[in-house]
């Protein structure tokens, strides 16, 4: 693989990842609600979810989703329903109260549950799988072994996705320190919940690439 192909892929991936989607919205919501301690679980969920989506696309699932209306529709509605459920859950989330020592007493949320939520949102998005099928081939050099190139591209994307999710999580957890008033927290929760519900509705309206 030439350095030009790799740099082009890395630049395109970084730009795409910087645009917040449902996964990043979830990362931000958890960071605002629970602080920096959730970063490890959310970032791990993002990384494994992207790994699952990219590997599935390489194994041919993306092509199958692009041609099979039934399979695409099932995954689309499952992903949409899950995003809407998470949005409603965030909308109704309890407000973290400031304790006597000045710390924020956030509702307890198990790291495993946070990890699973983030993983499912990332991996169960049919648009992501189909996207990888359309995205990766543009940067492949057909005159060279494809497996090694795919491995390098997947590793590059996962590293960039991990850095991106970590950055958003740390920025959101830092901003959380300024959010002390219950009314402000409620606005943040309901805004994030509304965005997740909106993302779910957009997912429900997705069409196959061949449609």
């Amino acid at each position: 693989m030439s350095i030009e192909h790799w740099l082009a892929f890395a630049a395109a991936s970084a730009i795409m990842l910087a645009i917040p989607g449902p996964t990043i919205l979830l990362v931000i919501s958890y960071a605002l609600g629970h602080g920096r301690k959730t970063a490890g679980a959310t970032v791990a969920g993002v990384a494994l979810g992207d790994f699952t989506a990219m590997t599935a696309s390489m194994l041919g699932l993306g092509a199958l989703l692009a041609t099979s209306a039934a399979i695409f529709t099932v995954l689309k509605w499952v992903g949409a329903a899950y995003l809407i459920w998470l949005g409603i859950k965030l909308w109704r989330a309890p407000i973290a109260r400031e304790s006597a020592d000045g710390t924020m007493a956030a509702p307890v949320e198990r790291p495993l549950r946070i990890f699973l939520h983030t993983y499912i949102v990332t991996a169960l998005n049919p648009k992501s799988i189909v996207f990888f099928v359309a995205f990766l081939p543009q940067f492949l050099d057909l005159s060279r072994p494809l497996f090694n190139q795919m491995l390098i591209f997947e590793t590059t994307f996962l590293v960039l996705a991990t850095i991106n999710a970590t950055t958003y999580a740390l920025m959101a957890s830092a901003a959380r320190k300024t959010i002390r008033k219950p009314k402000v927290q409620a606005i943040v929760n309901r805004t994030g919940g509304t965005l997740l519900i909106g993302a779910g509705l957009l997912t429900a309206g997705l069409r196959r690439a061949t449609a």
Side-chain angles (χ1 to χ4, degrees):
M1 178 194 306
S2 66
I3 188 65
E4 289 81 8
H5 279 81
W6 181 82
L7 286 174
F9 175 83
S13 297
I15 293 171
M16 184 199 71
L17 287 167
I19 302 172
T23 298
I24 294 302
L25 289 176
L26 195 60
V27 170
I28 292 173
S29 297
Y30 275 125
L32 287 175
H34 301 276
R36 188 174 297 184
K37 61 185 178 182
T38 65
T42 54
V43 170
V46 169
L48 187 59
D50 279 330
F51 174 78
T52 301
M54 292 188 76
T55 301
S57 70
M58 292 179 187
L59 294 177
L61 180 56
L64 182 61
L65 287 172
T67 57
S68 173
I71 296 176
F72 184 91
T73 300
V74 169
L75 276 182
K76 176 184 75 173
W77 283 108
V78 169
Y82 194 74
L83 281 171
I84 292 171
W85 176 78
L86 285 176
I88 294 172
K89 186 171 181 287
L90 179 58
W91 179 281
R92 301 173 61 185
I95 302 301
R97 303 287 178 177
E98 188 172 353
S99 59
D101 60 0
T103 60
M104 299 296 288
V108 176
E109 187 86 27
R110 288 185 299 173
L112 179 59
R113 176 173 291 186
I114 293 174
F115 165 78
L116 290 175
H117 283 331
T118 313
Y119 169 75
I120 292 171
V121 168
T122 307
L124 273 189
N125 188 348
K127 185 179 180 181
S128 296
I129 300 175
V130 174
F131 170 79
F132 285 129
V133 171
F135 181 64
L136 281 175
Q138 300 178 44
F139 302 94
L140 293 174
D141 184 350
L142 300 181
S143 65
R144 300 171 185 267
L146 296 181
F147 177 80
N148 291 340
Q149 294 182 71
M150 289 182 178
L151 185 61
I152 292 172
F153 284 150
E154 183 164 356
T155 301
T156 300
F157 189 90
L158 292 177
V159 170
L160 291 174
T162 299
I163 294 173
N164 183 67
T166 301
T167 300
Y168 272 109
L170 294 179
M171 289 173 60
S173 63
R176 176 177 180 265
K177 296 178 181 179
T178 66
I179 303 174
R180 299 285 184 178
K181 296 180 180 179
K183 287 185 178 180
V184 176
Q185 294 177 58
I187 291 173
V188 170
N189 285 350
R190 289 173 183 175
T191 301
T194 300
L195 290 173
L196 284 174
I197 292 171
L201 294 175
L202 288 175
T203 298
L206 287 177
R207 294 181 179 273
R208 290 183 299 133
T210 56

